[in-house]
Each structure stands twice: as structure tokens, then as C-alpha cells.
Amino acid sequence: STRAVSCVDSCEHSCGNKAKPAAMSKRTVEPIASASSEDDGTDTDAAGSPKKARVNGGSTADAAATSYVTSLFGLNGKVCIVFGGTGVLCGAIACGYYDAGATVVIVGRSEEKAAAVRGERDAERFHFIAADASLPETPGAVRDEVVERFGKVDVLVNGVGVNSSTPFAEIEEAEMVDIFDKNFFFAARCCQAFVPALTETSGSIINVGSITGLSPLSKVFMYGSSKAALSNLSQNLAREYGEKLRVNLLIPGFFPAEQNRKILSKERTATIMEHTPANRFGDPQELVPVCILLASRAASSFINGAEIVVDGGFAATKI
């Protein structure tokens, strides 16, 4: 039987004018003023150690740096839809979008899980839509609800997926169809439903792939095949709509969640570590910066049709 997992949280899979350069201003370094008795005009403290130094105008420089980074990666005013957002990985991505300033809509089946993902975040900017990924009409219905409420869509993350470890010779037709329907066809339907709205905002589609879509892993035959198909679809959409929106594929490596820790035997974990130069599993938060990059038009305007691998080096290791 197949096992539903949101945002591919299975360990087997494992969104004009040219600016002139700013002129560099001359800055001087001086000791930080102190109200203590050590503020005596010397460069060392009572122990003979150098006093802390500061850069004149440091607060201005910090503000300028913050402003620059925000101009590239801030998502204020953006509306981000995350299918599978009640899961571990896509839940982290959704929270990252919120924290970067976006209005977020997560789509899943469990309101309880959605509440856990949202935590203490403001419900005015963090919304949940209950929907069933097995229904073909779901993508269009979610799009209509979001556009009616917020007027637009800027980012679409497709992270719904199912997995199964059934041996290849024993996979039945119904299981094959179910895996491909949720992992590939549902994402394709979402892309099809949201493309018109996303072209109006020069938006971004982030499809969540899998490391096994790049190189086959054991025990996940249909899962890997469906994710390889999603990779091809992503590149085709990037080619077709490249002047109007961006479509990229996020490829997580091994990010174990509570549901799949049970299947991580010592032997399998050891094998994974042998092939992961970082020598550890990934943390869901480590996907967030990449997804913010891909969501921001200012930061990723020329990134299209890419496969962004976040795996600690697993895909780079052959022997």
C-alpha cells in the first residue's frame, strides 16, 4: 500500500535602469566609547588587551546592508502557496516565506497539522486550505479561492507526494497509478492551474523533486520514476514560459522526519553517511534559504529550469 507524505518528507526522496554601484566611503576605526573607568584614551584595557573597536558610521553601514539584503530576498507583499505545507519539509519552507514577509497559504488535509506548522505566527498572513490531492479539481479550486481572497499569486510550491517500498515485481497497477498521480500528475495539474495567475506577476514555481530522481536508489522504484518525470516537466515549463515566469526543481537529499525514522536501520543509515560528505542528515531549515532565493524575482530573475540539489554532497559521491 502507498503511504502519503507531505512535501516528500520521506528519507527515500528523499518554490529598466541599471543601478550605479555605490561609491565607497572612507571609514575610520576607533575604540568604542565606554562609560567605564577604562575609557581613558588608551588603546588597551587594564589587562593590557586591545579594546574593542568600531567602524565610524557602523549603524549606517548595517542599515544599508540590511536594506540591500532585504531588497534581494525580502518577500513583503508576495503571496506564496505551498501544497504539502502541513508536512515537515514544506512546513519549514512555508514558515520561512512568512518570516521573510510573505502572505502564506499552506494546502493539506489536516487542520491540526497546519496549526502545528503555523505555531504562533499571525493567522492574518498564514492561512490554511483543506484539500485532497487525489481530486483533479483541487488545484483549480485552491487557485480560485486564493485569487479571490488575495488578488494574485506570486509563488507556487508543489510538495505533495507519496512513497512505497514495495518490491518491483510485486507492485500492483493501483499502486503505480496512485504514486504517479500524486507525485507527478497532481503537480502537473497545479502548474497548469496556476500558470495564468503566475504569468501576471512574473512569478515562480518550485517543484519538489527527489535525489532518487537524479540517480536511482533502492526500494523506491515508482517514487523515483515519478520524480524523474517531474524534473523533465519542470524543465519543459521553464522553456515554455521562460519570459513570463520561472520554474525550478528543488532536490532535497536525506531529511528524515518522524514518519520515516522507523525505517532507517543502522545499516541503511551507515550507507547513507558513507555517501554523504557532510556525514549527517539534513535539517528542514536548510532548505529555506534556497526556497527564498527561488521565490524572490530580484534574487533569481535569471535562474530558470535549474535543479537545485541540497543534499550535503550525496549526489556528488560515486565511490
Side-chain angles (χ1 to χ4, degrees):
S1 61
T2 58
R3 177 175 60 85
V5 288
S6 295
C7 192
V8 208
D9 53 8
S10 164
C11 76
E12 303 296 345
H13 69 290
S14 250
C15 156
N17 293 328
K18 294 184 178 179
K20 296 180 180 179
M24 295 182 64
S25 59
K26 185 177 181 180
R27 300 182 298 170
T28 58
V29 178
E30 65 179 23
I32 293 178
S34 172
S36 71
S37 59
E38 295 184 5
D39 189 16
D40 54 8
T42 66
D43 293 330
T44 58
D45 59 20
S49 301
K51 291 180 179 179
K52 292 182 179 180
R54 71 176 178 197
V55 178
N56 276 348
S59 59
T60 302
D62 290 343
T66 300
S67 176
Y68 176 66
V69 172
T70 300
S71 71
L72 287 177
F73 300 103
L75 299 179
N76 290 340
K78 303 295 185 183
V79 177
C80 303
I81 316 302
V82 184
F83 281 90
T86 57
V88 174
L89 301 190
C90 281
I93 293 168
C95 291
Y97 284 162
Y98 174 95
D99 294 342
T103 293
V104 176
V105 179
I106 60 174
V107 185
R109 291 183 295 181
S110 171
E111 187 171 357
E112 182 179 358
K113 289 182 178 180
V117 169
R118 184 177 65 229
E120 299 300 318
R121 292 174 175 82
D122 185 2
E124 287 300 310
R125 280 203 300 115
F126 203 111
H127 305 265
F128 168 67
I129 294 178
D132 188 343
S134 66
L135 302 177
E137 62 267 25
T138 291
V142 171
R143 175 206 58 211
D144 292 345
E145 183 172 344
V146 170
V147 171
E148 181 179 358
R149 181 163 188 175
F150 302 107
K152 65 169 185 171
V153 178
D154 295 286
V155 178
L156 168 67
V157 177
N158 286 316
V160 171
V162 296
N163 197 358
S164 172
S165 59
T166 304
F168 182 74
E170 300 174 18
I171 301 174
E172 297 183 356
E173 178 73 14
E175 184 174 308
M176 288 187 182
V177 171
D178 184 60
I179 291 174
F180 261 86
D181 186 61
K182 291 185 174 66
N183 294 358
F184 176 73
F185 287 111
F186 184 76
R189 294 185 192 108
C190 286
C191 291
Q192 195 173 49
F194 279 87
V195 158
L198 288 165
T199 57
E200 293 181 4
T201 59
S202 298
S204 172
I205 296 175
I206 303 167
N207 290 323
V208 181
S210 169
I211 200 71
T212 191
L214 293 179
S215 182
L217 301 179
S218 62
K219 301 181 180 180
V220 286
F221 296 98
M222 292 298 101
Y223 180 82
S225 298
S226 65
K227 290 300 182 179
L230 185 59
S231 173
N232 185 275
L233 173 68
S234 300
Q235 293 178 343
N236 262 304
L237 292 176
R239 175 190 56 79
E240 185 73 13
Y241 296 100
E243 293 184 4
K244 298 179 179 180
L245 56 83
R246 306 177 313 286
V247 185
N248 294 289
L249 188 75
L250 172 69
I251 302 179
F254 289 87
F255 289 77
E258 200 59 40
Q259 304 96 303
N260 53 51
R261 290 184 190 278
K262 298 176 182 179
I263 66 173
L264 285 175
S265 65
K266 290 184 179 180
E267 294 76 13
R268 189 163 184 81
T269 297
T271 300
I272 293 170
M273 292 302 103
E274 288 174 2
H275 288 80
T276 305
N279 197 35
R280 63 178 176 83
F281 292 114
D283 185 281
Q285 292 299 322
E286 293 175 299
L287 295 174
V288 174
V290 173
C291 290
I292 289 177
L293 165 70
L294 296 177
S296 168
R297 185 165 181 249
S300 65
S301 58
F302 207 56
I303 302 176
N304 198 18
E307 296 180 335
I308 310 296
V309 181
V310 185
D311 69 346
F314 182 90
T317 305
K318 303 303 179 185
I319 58 173

